[in-house]
Amino acid sequence: MKYGHFDDENKEYVIDRVDLPTSWTNYLGVEDMAAVVNHTAGGYCFYKSPEYHRISRFHGNSIPMDRPGFYVYLRDNESSDYWSTSWQPVGKDLNKAKYTARHGLSYSVYECDYNGIHSEEKLSIPRGENVLLWDVKVKNTGKTDRNLSIFSYLEFSFHHVMIDNINFQMSLYCAGGSYKDGIIEEDLFYEEDGYQYFTANFEPDGYDCVRDRFIGTYNTETNPAAVERGECFNSEEKGMSHCGSLMKKFRLKPSEEVRFIFMLGEGDRKAAYPIKKKYSDFANVDAAYEDLRLYWKKKTDAMLINTPNEGMNSLINTWTLYQSEINVMFSRFASFIEVGGRVGLGYRDTAQDSMTVVHSNPDKCKERIVQLLKGLTTKGYGLHLFQPEWFEEAGKPSDFDSPTVVPKADKSIIHSLDDACSDDCLWLIPSIVVYIKETGDLSFADEMITYADTFVEGKNFKESVYDHLKRILDFSAEQVGSNGICKGLRADWNDCLNLGGGESTLVTFLHYAALESFIELATKLGRTEDVEKYGKIAEKVKKVANDVCWDGDWFIRGVTKSGRKIGCKEDEEGKVHLESNAWAILSGAADEEKAAKTLDAIDKYLYTPYGLLLNTPSYTKPDPEIGFVTRVYPGLKENGAVFSHPNPWAQAAACKIGRGDIAMKFYNALCPYYQNDIIEIRESEPYSYCQFIAGKDHKAFGRARHPFMTGSGGWSYFTATYHILGIKPDFDSLTVDPCIPADWKEFSVSRVFRGATYEINVKNPSGKMKGVSEIYIDGAKADKIPVFEAGTTHKVTVVM
Ligand code: GLC
């Protein structure tokens, strides 16, 4: 069953049936102000941080689902009938009202046709401004004159998510809502400078600042008291919970259309005046849309693919890039699942995300990489979750003691080895090497950067990026157990596998991958001593990988503290694990024969039509030696679900050993595009990868959950473009080395690399999966693809 379709030309996903089984979300804002919204205009808005600076309230994990939001009500003043521009919150009978929702790149549009009125509400946040615009158009499509009213509604939040959820005896009496000059101001009086505003491009006929007046104590957003009676209450109050409702009465003749702009902004009434003026001019609203369109066009144009796989084309050219960019912006801290209690940067997630969109967002990727380097301790492990502001030079201290201030950096935030995850920093090394290869910025290796622990001790200790990387590698080399495998510590990539002093093969493979990346960089920089030193370590790690970690047909997952192997043939539960086996191959650590057998084992034991299981069979018996994973229900999340994030690792692993057929089989299984028509099973949005899909040991097998905020976004993008299509930037050239199914006859990629455009056409006349035999540049035979002058365009033909 399907609920919508991809509109590739407009880069939108169109939801034609809005009674979806679950919320389908989108992200607005690409700078400081941002919002997460769903297909019925539900969602919330924040400034920089959804934990410390929320603007609008959200009732997470609630019924009715995903309220409140940015709602617009229309009322027919003749009949007293009313409806909303998005299907919810009023929820008109879908046999009588036609609703659609369209999610685009940083905007969403809700359309409604009801009883001779067409309406449309578009939400977006212009670049360079901290305001959420609600652009509403109402048209009379009937034959008679209409007497209508429009009401807006949003619920303001206290800034701090905790203060907004507990202990109201303080907050409720230190915040006030007031109305003047067409502007509602929410004053969070308990803060030094806590204000929000809500205004519109018209002179209102009524307003409400007090939530409980507008809604009514025994009503909901479905039937607000003010809309029911057709008049706002003109409520204002110092104290209580507040809303933003502005009301206007208007008449429409047949075919007549009117446009209203509502503005929800960061700042006080003074900040609202110029914004009200600016966006009361429709030309400025339209210019903001065009600016956002060009912002995204530049990114999507940086790599456009045309392959025989239509799902891959659609996702890579728009949606997976979008998802990857969103992850670099929001790490994992803003969604309907992560509703603000876990902000900051997760070390491993951010390190991986930063590798995936360097070609379209080099500055943001570098910013994230630098933040992570600053979050590294001199011991060589990183802070698992931290606020990047902690390690920036402090601003002027404020003497105002607000309960919502962001915690400052102090020694307590530097956690010990007990809380360190063994994999966190290893991801950063390949990301930095990818960054340097993409940008050509070799000097970055010598940039001087602080460390987290010495920074909070007040020491001005800096080392080069290159030296940071050595500390990471040395840490993993030291943290090995009695079998010579890296220790598991608090967790490795799998948060729920808590091997502690036990050992993790995954980390050993990641260590090997990081060593290989580092050696490439050291070689390029001519640091031969390091090439030799780390080369020897790599050899040793490879030997351990093949001698100790091998189980006959696949690699074990680890060894518990008491010396028990896990992920091996003898295991009845958790016999085969995906992430360690994928990295055994992808890192290059596994010998050729072992790598081939391992890929077969992944295919045989872990493949399902919805993607690869993380492990199988699921654990059913709690086992503290293995960790929390044994207390997650079978088939969910880390315990036997299709956990999406490692899926593209297995696709890349297949490419590593030339198996383009398997890579594509795995890619297609997880690809949400191909689940567009089975929403009764998938439930979640088909334009976004989800964190997991229930596995075969659960009755909801195939049901996807947690969209957008997952490493599978970035990794799917990276694997498809880098490993499958084979577009690999190098220090001094661009390599094209695809690994595709043998029946692909050709494909093309338009790729911007260091400012030049490469129009790449790959031909596969003899039906190969891997291996390039000839390269032509602008018609002439060549043996490599050089870095061309920025601004030029070149035709590259690659024959496999
Ligand atoms: C979540 C976390 C990620 C972790 C994964 C597996 O996606 O964000 O850091 O690696 O779960 O546990």
Side-chain angles (χ1 to χ4, degrees):
M1 190 190 295
K2 62 176 169 186
Y3 285 75
H5 63 273
F6 289 84
D7 176 352
D8 287 343
E9 203 174 311
N10 293 307
K11 297 196 176 298
E12 288 180 347
Y13 188 89
V14 184
I15 300 162
D16 332 275
R17 261 197 74 175
V18 289
D19 55 340
L20 293 169
T22 186
S23 264
W24 288 13
T25 46
N26 192 18
Y27 286 78
L28 314 178
V30 295
E31 291 166 347
D32 290 343
M33 180 143 163
V36 191
V37 296
N38 77 352
H39 63 289
T40 60
Y44 64 96
C45 175
F46 59 92
Y47 173 74
K48 289 188 180 172
S49 160
E51 179 167 9
Y52 302 113
H53 204 120
R54 299 179 73 107
I55 293 175
S56 72
R57 185 165 287 155
F58 186 65
H59 305 153
N61 188 23
S62 196
I63 288 285
M65 91 182 161
D66 303 330
R67 287 191 184 184
F70 310 103
Y71 298 142
V72 172
Y73 300 88
L74 293 170
R75 184 176 190 275
D76 183 327
N77 293 322
E78 303 295 335
S79 64
S80 304
D81 186 20
Y82 60 88
W83 63 102
S84 38
T85 50
S86 46
W87 177 46
Q88 297 295 326
V90 174
K92 279 280 177 206
D93 181 347
L94 289 175
N95 294 312
K96 295 187 182 131
K98 166 79 190 127
Y99 279 97
T100 54
R102 283 159 30 221
H103 288 315
L105 305 184
S106 300
Y107 68 89
S108 289
V109 183
Y110 309 94
E111 281 184 86
C112 169
D113 280 288
Y114 176 63
N115 208 5
I117 297 292
H118 175 82
S119 63
E120 152 177 345
E121 176 188 358
K122 177 169 177 173
L123 296 174
S124 74
I125 297 173
R127 288 205 302 153
E129 225 101 62
N130 294 314
V131 63
L132 172 64
L133 301 179
W134 318 9
D135 180 356
V136 182
K137 291 175 184 158
V138 187
K139 186 172 181 174
N140 182 352
T141 52
K143 293 192 168 55
T144 55
D145 286 10
R146 301 291 292 268
N147 170 6
L148 303 166
S149 292
I150 184 168
F151 297 75
S152 64
Y153 178 73
L154 80 109
E155 191 173 337
F156 284 110
S157 172
F158 299 118
H159 273 168
H160 196 297
V161 71
M162 288 294 273
I163 290 181
D164 202 54
N165 281 283
I166 53 174
N167 199 9
F168 301 114
Q169 55 107 3
M170 187 279 295
S171 47
L172 276 182
Y173 310 105
C174 310
S178 66
Y179 175 87
K180 193 181 156 209
D181 295 341
I183 300 166
I184 289 175
E185 182 189 75
E186 164 78 346
D187 176 6
L188 301 172
F189 189 53
Y190 62 86
E191 284 185 17
E192 193 167 20
D193 200 15
Y195 295 98
Q196 271 29 102
Y197 65 81
F198 185 69
T199 187
N201 67 329
F202 54 83
E203 184 64 36
D205 295 324
Y207 61 86
D208 272 305
C209 306
V210 179
R211 179 195 65 184
D212 300 5
R213 288 297 277 159
F214 179 82
I215 298 280
T217 321
Y218 291 99
N219 298 35
T220 68
E221 297 95 346
T222 299
N223 57 347
V227 182
E228 287 231 298
R229 74 174 198 150
E231 294 287 348
C232 280
F233 296 91
N234 293 348
S235 61
E236 308 179 63
E237 189 170 328
K238 290 198 158 77
M240 304 309 278
S241 271
H242 303 112
C243 67
S245 182
L246 296 171
M247 188 270 277
K248 184 84 191 158
K249 297 180 176 165
F250 60 104
R251 286 172 183 274
L252 287 181
K253 293 195 185 328
S255 301
E256 202 183 343
E257 186 182 69
V258 61
R259 188 172 177 186
F260 303 97
I261 313 288
F262 296 96
M263 304 155 218
L264 168 62
E266 168 62 20
D268 60 6
R269 185 168 283 115
K270 242 174 53 216
Y273 289 113
I275 294 292
K276 179 173 165 61
K277 183 155 183 262
K278 178 169 179 183
Y279 293 107
S280 290
D281 182 345
F282 299 139
N284 288 329
V285 178
D286 295 336
Y289 297 156
E290 181 60 5
D291 175 66
L292 266 181
R293 193 186 68 79
L294 293 175
Y295 169 87
W296 281 110
K297 185 173 172 359
K298 187 165 175 224
K299 289 181 184 300
T300 51
D301 281 359
M303 176 137 56
L304 286 172
I305 69 165
N306 185 5
T307 76
N309 187 329
E310 64 167 49
M312 184 185 263
N313 296 343
S314 197
L315 291 193
I316 294 298
N317 289 338
T318 305
W319 293 101
T320 309
L321 178 75
Y322 185 55
Q323 180 170 5
S324 313
E325 288 263 356
I326 283 169
N327 283 337
V328 175
M329 276 187 268
F330 302 112
S331 187
R332 299 293 177 273
F333 58 65
S335 69
F336 285 6
I337 306 300
E338 303 287 0
V339 285
R342 179 194 183 267
V343 296
L345 302 181
Y347 210 104
R348 77 163 76 89
D349 291 337
T350 307
Q352 291 169 78
D353 295 343
S354 322
M355 181 182 77
T356 60
V357 288
V358 186
H359 71 295
S360 60
N361 207 344
D363 295 345
K364 191 75 191 177
C365 290
K366 181 173 177 186
E367 183 188 319
R368 289 295 188 222
I369 287 170
V370 169
Q371 288 167 338
L372 292 172
L373 288 163
K374 289 180 178 174
L376 183 74
T377 65
T378 51
K379 307 260 182 325
Y381 65 84
L383 301 185
H384 186 61
L385 181 71
F386 67 97
Q387 292 276 136
E389 303 90 86
W390 291 345
F391 308 116
E392 301 301 336
E393 293 305 329
K396 186 173 118 320
S398 163
D399 51 10
F400 183 87
D401 204 7
S402 158
T404 61
V405 280
V406 182
K408 292 248 164 44
D410 64 39
K411 289 186 188 149
S412 68
I413 63 179
I414 306 297
H415 63 65
S416 70
L417 187 59
D418 290 345
D419 284 317
C421 289
S422 47
D423 67 316
D424 273 345
C425 296
L426 289 170
W427 301 103
L428 192 56
I429 298 176
S431 293
I432 288 175
V433 175
V434 165
Y435 172 80
I436 293 175
K437 285 180 174 179
E438 179 71 47
T439 58
D441 182 9
L442 261 181
S443 68
F444 181 54
D446 294 322
E447 230 170 82
M448 301 298 278
I449 289 181
T450 47
Y451 289 93
D453 49 344
T454 43
F455 182 87
V456 297
E457 284 163 11
K459 294 182 191 147
N460 183 24
F461 178 60
K462 289 184 176 174
E463 272 184 346
S464 68
V465 170
Y466 184 85
D467 287 335
H468 280 65
L469 303 192
K470 289 193 347 189
R471 284 184 191 257
I472 296 171
L473 292 172
D474 294 347
F475 174 80
S476 294
E478 281 156 20
Q479 292 295 323
V480 291
S482 55
N483 296 292
I485 304 171
C486 286
K487 282 187 187 160
L489 303 182
R490 186 179 107 187
D492 59 23
W493 169 86
N494 189 332
D495 277 328
C496 303
L497 198 78
N498 314 113
L499 296 171
E503 294 161 64
S504 159
T505 57
L506 171 67
V507 181
T508 285
F509 302 139
L510 292 175
H511 188 202
Y512 186 76
L515 283 160
E516 292 287 287
S517 279
F518 176 80
I519 290 165
E520 273 191 78
L521 178 65
T523 307
K524 175 70 195 161
L525 292 169
R527 305 199 181 157
T528 41
E529 270 178 31
D530 287 333
V531 175
E532 209 177 299
K533 175 180 164 192
Y534 290 95
K536 283 205 180 112
I537 299 178
E539 268 172 41
K540 198 170 136 199
V541 173
K542 191 173 166 116
K543 191 164 165 16
V544 170
N546 287 286
D547 296 352
V548 186
C549 306
W550 181 243
D551 193 49
D553 285 310
W554 61 82
F555 288 88
I556 61 167
R557 182 63 178 83
V559 183
T560 67
K561 207 171 173 183
S562 68
R564 186 158 47 104
K565 279 193 210 167
I566 58 166
C568 57
K569 280 207 182 77
E570 294 77 44
D571 278 332
E572 274 167 25
E573 301 186 340
K575 196 193 221 10
V576 188
H577 291 248
L578 176 58
E579 66 275 48
S580 42
N581 281 302
W583 272 101
I585 308 169
L586 181 54
S587 66
D591 294 341
E592 205 179 320
E593 197 190 323
K594 293 191 175 90
K597 276 190 167 183
T598 301
L599 189 66
D600 288 344
I602 292 176
D603 193 17
K604 178 171 168 196
Y605 293 99
L606 302 174
Y607 178 82
T608 81
Y610 310 117
L612 303 169
L613 300 171
L614 187 59
N615 47 54
T616 201
S618 306
Y619 292 102
T620 60
K621 299 175 213 56
D623 182 340
E625 271 217 335
I626 297 176
F628 189 74
V629 63
T630 60
R631 286 202 175 268
V632 178
Y633 284 123
L636 297 181
K637 295 259 296 168
E638 281 90 338
N639 190 15
V642 172
F643 205 93
S644 304
H645 187 154
N647 268 253
W649 299 343
Q651 299 157 23
C655 293
K656 179 88 181 177
I657 58 171
R659 295 297 304 272
D661 51 346
I662 301 267
M664 198 57 62
K665 174 180 165 185
F666 291 175
Y667 178 88
N668 286 342
L670 190 75
C671 184
Y673 182 95
Y674 292 117
Q675 295 172 18
N676 188 65
D677 296 359
I678 50 163
I679 297 303
E680 72 282 11
I681 299 170
R682 178 180 170 84
E683 293 196 356
S684 293
E685 44 273 68
Y687 48 86
S688 165
Y689 285 91
C690 286
Q691 189 203 52
F692 76 98
I693 295 176
K696 59 185 163 63
D697 295 334
H698 193 276
K699 72 175 191 181
F701 183 35
R703 185 174 75 195
R705 279 294 182 268
H706 308 179
F708 278 103
M709 307 272 100
T710 147
S712 51
W715 265 103
S716 293
Y717 190 83
F718 189 77
T719 293
T721 56
Y722 187 93
H723 291 286
I724 298 179
L725 302 181
I727 312 297
K728 303 179 177 175
D730 213 330
F731 293 115
D732 303 306
S733 61
L734 181 69
T735 303
V736 178
D737 179 23
C739 183
I740 54 175
D743 61 1
W744 276 26
K745 297 269 171 285
E746 66 174 325
F747 68 90
S748 56
V749 178
S750 167
R751 173 63 147 86
V752 177
F753 176 52
R754 303 206 197 151
T757 303
Y758 296 70
E759 299 289 355
I760 303 161
N761 188 246
V762 176
K763 296 191 187 304
N764 186 21
S766 43
K768 288 189 185 171
M769 289 202 275
K770 199 178 170 94
V772 166
S773 54
E774 285 163 27
I775 302 171
Y776 297 87
I777 296 173
D778 296 323
K781 205 157 181 203
D783 53 10
K784 66 177 207 160
I785 308 168
V787 177
F788 286 113
E789 198 186 317
T792 59
T793 298
H794 298 272
K795 281 208 172 337
V796 178
T797 306
V798 171
V799 185
M800 292 177 71

